[in-house]
Amino acid sequence: MDLVLGGTALVVAAPVMAAGVAAATWSTRQWGIFAQERVGRNGVPFQVYKVRSMCAVAGVESTITVGADPRITPTGRWLRRLKIDELPQLLNVVRGDMSLVGPRPDVVGWADRLEGRDRVVLTVRPGITGPASVAFRHEEDLLDSVDNPEAYNREVIWPKKVGLNRHYVETWTLRRDFYWLATTVRSLLDRN
């Protein structure tokens, strides 16, 4: 499913992705695609590809991104809202690093915190979308609304995501994967 649907989606999305890369290159003055190390299946690191939507800002080092993050360019804000920045991950799906549906891959440091039953999340390929991605599709705005985004992410959002991801892995069916793909498309079209 991943190879057929992911490959087809990559071909269909190629013009949009190319436009996004061109816009990102222009707005950031850097190459429009970047790779970032993430933790994949069985805890093995891999490079995830994304369209560049941010640029460096002195003094801002956090891996947490809030809605009003000064690192996000105006073009990047648009790319993120439409999820165009995620399209290069279809390359990761075709390569076998990722799946279309599954837990989002964490950066090193977060995946290391998984303990006990929660480590089941690392037994599957990470996905472009899934239950936690849909539930927290407005995560940046949510983090923007709290006093301490780092603490709120660590104490509230991340544990909820881990629970959703663990439930996904423990109750996986192909039918549910199609459900999550359809739900993701609906949420993108709805944009609320």
Side-chain angles (χ1 to χ4, degrees):
M1 180 183 89
D2 282 332
L3 190 56
V4 172
L5 291 181
T8 302
L10 182 59
V11 170
V12 170
V16 175
M17 186 167 52
V21 171
T25 300
W26 176 81
S27 70
T28 64
R29 305 292 188 251
Q30 299 177 60
W31 174 234
I33 291 183
F34 77 99
Q36 183 182 49
E37 187 172 81
R38 298 287 179 101
V39 178
R41 187 177 193 181
N42 299 320
V44 177
F46 73 101
Q47 297 295 312
V48 69
Y49 301 109
K50 296 184 86 171
V51 173
R52 190 179 300 277
S53 62
M54 302 169 73
C55 54
V57 172
V60 182
E61 303 289 331
S62 176
T63 60
I64 306 300
T65 308
V66 298
D69 196 308
R71 297 172 295 180
I72 302 174
T73 67
T75 301
R77 198 166 306 286
W78 177 79
L79 293 169
R80 291 167 87 92
R81 184 168 303 283
L82 296 176
K83 301 298 184 190
I84 293 171
D85 65 317
E86 306 285 351
L87 289 177
Q89 289 170 49
L90 291 168
L91 293 166
N92 289 110
V93 171
V94 171
R95 286 176 43 151
D97 300 324
M98 293 178 68
S99 182
L100 290 171
V101 183
R104 287 293 296 157
D106 275 320
V107 295
V108 175
W110 285 100
D112 304 340
R113 299 176 187 202
L114 293 170
E115 296 178 346
R117 281 181 53 211
D118 293 340
R119 290 195 63 78
V120 73
V121 170
L122 296 176
T123 65
V124 299
R125 284 188 188 101
I128 293 177
T129 190
S133 298
V134 171
F136 289 98
R137 67 186 177 277
H138 300 298
E139 180 179 340
E140 291 177 0
D141 295 331
L142 178 61
L143 288 170
D144 210 23
S145 69
V146 297
D147 291 333
N148 187 337
E150 298 268 353
Y152 191 80
N153 182 67
R154 183 178 58 252
E155 297 164 10
V156 178
I157 293 178
W158 192 74
K160 286 183 180 179
K161 283 183 176 180
V162 170
L164 289 167
N165 289 331
R166 187 182 71 224
H167 183 262
Y168 165 81
V169 173
E170 292 175 343
T171 62
W172 178 88
T173 66
L174 185 58
R175 183 177 180 177
R176 284 196 179 129
D177 274 4
F178 281 115
Y179 167 81
W180 289 115
L181 285 171
T183 301
T184 299
V185 170
R186 275 196 308 272
S187 71
L188 287 173
L189 294 175
D190 184 29
R191 291 193 300 193
N192 289 328

